[in-house]
Amino acid sequence: MTVSVTPENFTLVSYDAGEIASIIEELVGAIGLPSDLDVSIEVDESTPLGRASVTSISPLVISVESGALEDPKRPRNLSRTGSADVLGRLMFRVRDRLDPAFGDPPADNELTLPQSVAWDAYCVGRLVRLGYIHYDNRQRRLYHFRNRHGFTDSADEAFERLWTADGLSWSDIASLSDNAVGTAA
Amino acid sequence: MRKIFPADLLARDERFVRLTTEQRFMDPRSPGSRSNPRGAMKLTPDRPDAPDAARALMHGIFVGEVQALEGAGRTCWDFETGDGGDETPFALKLDMARQCWDEARHCEISVKLSDWMGTELGEFSESTFLYEAACNPDPVLRLTGVNRALEGLAIDVFNTMKEFGDIAGDPVLEFCEDWMLADEVTHVKMGSDWLRRLTEKDPERRERALEFQRIVDKLFSLGGFRGEDDDSPIRLARRFRELAGFDKEEMDDLAEISREAKADADRMREQLVAEANA
């Protein structure tokens, strides 16, 4: 496995490329991604915004804005738990996509917002069970889920299923999301 | 107990990390600049990151409520009771005591809202410039800096968050913000009324107080954070400000101050980026 971080030296933030690489290496093993995976992470340090996305699966390329890895208490400093939360969520999606049993989800940019949030809940639930805890992940993800699926009991039930599950397929996730949206409507 | 209590001695537990104004403004990356390719940053549920943006803003509201409580409490204590220039009338202290009661309730509401939204207390940094505005040695300047400028900003923030809750279908957020908004209108109205009464025969003092308000307003416009442009995250709530004693000219000035603050911030960021890349 190789991990490359761009840029190697940061000027606008106090991030350490080696620390980011070590977080990635740890997550690859914990999440169960192929051990021969080559990972590249591109950090845009010109913005404090927090967008993060997978731009290629083979080789795995992750693009993040610097805010995605930042400690909200200490601007321009890296948060190890926050970085693991963001990167781990994306890497669980990659693991799902590489698993033939998961099915064939749309490309990330073709997902609806509710579908994307539902998949995130499934990913972060598994990440938390691996011990990667960043503040109150569950309530935060529940709030995201409610914003996209309605503030209803049925939306909360769908979230609970996603949060506690393992081995779901894409059609399971899409179905839970679509049903919750439909009930709210 | 000492008079005029400095901000750096405010009691906080280990969860809270304080950020100076300088640290906040010296970040060369800040969003909303001309270099931001995403442009609009208005806080609406349409934004994919809207729930997290609302969580961060709610935490800012929470620490603001704590400091507003501390500030109003100081105004009850820091001045002798009377009608002199360095004194405060007893009725004003009663108003500040009532405001303390409101702010304490807002703290409780904010704590519960933070739980609801998945935010832990202290998850984000705290700036104390709200409290610092409440340390002015002239009680009239405290009223314009805190009650008119900062509580006025609270009107804009609560109105934006109330609309956010309404559109997102979040009944808890919508109701909580609406109730706090009602209190903020009262606090601003107190500031407007006391400014008029205390400076009725002293136009120079009134002008000093209004100038202090303009400075605080510009500082809290935070590079266009609050304004009337399409990309302003927080919108100027003209109707509620009118109820609180602001006239149209003052609100037009405020919108202009916000545009100036945004232009200043853009210039500063471009300079910081150039220095970092040199």
Side-chain angles (χ1 to χ4, degrees):
Chain A
M1 176 176 63
T2 63
V3 179
S4 66
V5 178
T6 310
E8 289 179 7
N9 296 300
F10 294 90
T11 56
L12 300 179
V13 293
S14 303
Y15 292 0
D16 176 56
E19 185 175 13
I20 296 170
S22 77
I23 295 169
I24 294 276
E25 285 165 5
E26 190 184 304
L27 284 167
V28 166
I31 289 171
L33 283 163
S35 58
D36 59 350
L37 195 69
D38 291 326
V39 186
S40 172
I41 176 162
E42 299 164 346
V43 183
D44 178 1
E45 61 170 336
S46 70
T47 170
L49 300 177
R51 190 172 284 185
S53 61
V54 172
T55 51
S56 163
I57 288 189
S58 184
L60 177 54
V61 180
I62 299 173
S63 298
V64 297
E65 295 172 332
S66 69
L69 310 182
E70 187 173 24
D71 183 344
K73 289 187 180 189
R74 296 169 188 81
R76 302 164 72 189
N77 284 280
L78 188 93
S79 162
R80 193 171 178 94
T81 59
S83 298
D85 181 59
V86 170
L87 298 171
R89 173 175 56 81
L90 295 175
M91 290 165 76
F92 255 116
R93 277 199 185 193
V94 172
R95 195 189 88 164
D96 289 342
R97 286 187 183 280
L98 292 173
D99 178 2
F102 184 73
D104 190 20
D108 280 352
N109 60 6
E110 292 171 6
L111 294 168
T112 65
L113 200 47
Q115 285 174 339
S116 182
V117 167
W119 197 357
D120 283 346
Y122 176 50
C123 292
V124 180
R126 288 177 289 171
L127 194 62
V128 166
R129 288 197 292 282
L130 287 176
Y132 291 96
I133 296 166
H134 180 62
Y135 292 106
D136 191 350
N137 309 56
R138 185 187 179 282
Q139 190 65 23
R140 176 187 168 202
R141 288 292 155 191
L142 175 59
Y143 186 65
H144 276 249
F145 194 81
R146 285 169 167 167
N147 266 277
R148 306 306 174 195
H149 296 85
F151 288 75
T152 65
D153 289 346
S154 59
D156 285 6
E157 286 166 15
F159 173 83
E160 194 59 28
R161 174 92 178 99
L162 289 160
W163 185 260
T164 57
D166 209 352
L168 294 181
S169 66
W170 169 246
S171 65
D172 294 329
I173 296 169
S175 172
L176 283 163
S177 176
D178 293 347
N179 288 341
V181 170
T183 305
Chain B
M1 193 163 74
R2 68 186 293 174
K3 305 278 186 182
I4 314 289
F5 197 78
D8 57 358
L9 293 182
L10 290 174
R12 296 289 184 274
D13 65 34
E14 68 280 357
R15 289 172 298 180
F16 294 87
V17 171
R18 197 164 291 171
L19 203 61
T20 65
T21 304
E22 186 184 22
Q23 285 172 312
R24 187 172 291 273
F25 282 96
M26 294 304 277
D27 185 340
R29 306 167 303 153
S30 290
S33 67
R34 286 195 289 267
S35 60
N36 175 15
R38 294 223 284 282
M41 295 295 291
K42 185 178 174 185
L43 182 58
T44 72
D46 294 340
R47 275 172 54 177
D49 68 337
D52 278 337
R55 286 187 331 109
L57 183 56
M58 192 59 233
H59 192 276
I61 291 172
F62 162 67
V63 294
E65 298 295 353
V66 173
Q67 291 173 40
L69 168 58
E70 291 166 324
R74 293 312 307 182
T75 300
C76 289
W77 172 257
D78 282 347
F79 306 101
E80 297 301 321
T81 304
D83 295 323
D86 55 354
E87 296 174 326
T88 55
F90 183 69
L92 191 156
K93 290 190 175 186
L94 275 183
D95 275 349
M96 291 297 109
R98 174 251 157 95
Q99 188 173 325
C100 286
W101 181 34
D102 291 345
E103 306 296 5
R105 195 171 60 255
H106 294 182
C107 290
E108 295 283 343
I109 292 170
S110 299
V111 168
K112 291 182 189 303
L113 265 178
S114 294
D115 282 346
W116 169 254
M117 299 167 89
T119 307
E120 292 185 13
L121 300 188
E123 185 171 333
F124 301 91
S125 58
E126 176 186 15
S127 299
T128 53
F129 43 52
L130 189 155
Y131 178 79
E132 286 161 24
C135 292
N136 198 290
D138 184 335
V140 174
L141 270 66
R142 287 192 188 188
L143 287 168
T144 50
V146 177
N147 281 66
R148 299 197 90 232
L150 298 178
E151 301 282 327
L153 173 63
I155 286 179
D156 303 329
V157 170
F158 286 134
N159 191 49
T160 299
M161 288 289 270
K162 180 173 82 75
E163 288 176 358
F164 181 95
D166 178 29
I167 297 167
D170 180 348
V172 177
L173 182 65
E174 184 190 356
F175 283 130
C176 288
E177 300 294 341
D178 195 26
W179 287 31
M180 290 193 284
L181 172 60
D183 289 334
E184 300 302 347
V185 171
T186 307
H187 301 167
V188 178
K189 184 77 165 54
M190 283 177 192
S192 299
D193 290 347
W194 279 111
L195 169 67
R196 193 169 51 250
R197 288 163 68 176
L198 294 178
T199 63
E200 202 167 14
K201 295 172 184 169
D202 191 345
E204 283 181 18
R205 190 182 186 197
R206 178 177 294 186
E207 187 44 46
R208 277 201 309 278
L210 290 172
E211 179 56 26
F212 183 59
Q213 181 183 326
R214 279 189 284 272
I215 291 167
V216 175
D217 271 330
K218 187 163 186 178
L219 191 62
F220 271 78
S221 291
L222 297 172
F225 171 75
R226 179 268 313 278
E228 292 194 306
D229 294 335
D230 284 343
D231 56 352
S232 301
I234 301 300
R235 307 284 291 179
L236 198 60
R238 282 185 176 259
R239 174 61 185 141
F240 288 108
R241 280 178 172 273
E242 190 184 335
L243 290 172
F246 278 80
D247 60 33
K248 182 178 178 302
E249 190 181 343
E250 274 185 300
M251 289 188 279
D252 290 343
D253 285 347
L254 193 50
E256 187 53 35
I257 284 171
S258 298
R259 282 186 209 104
E260 285 172 14
K262 186 178 181 188
D264 288 351
D266 279 338
R267 279 192 292 274
M268 182 190 285
R269 274 192 290 275
E270 282 164 12
Q271 186 181 339
L272 289 168
V273 169
E275 287 171 6
N277 291 329

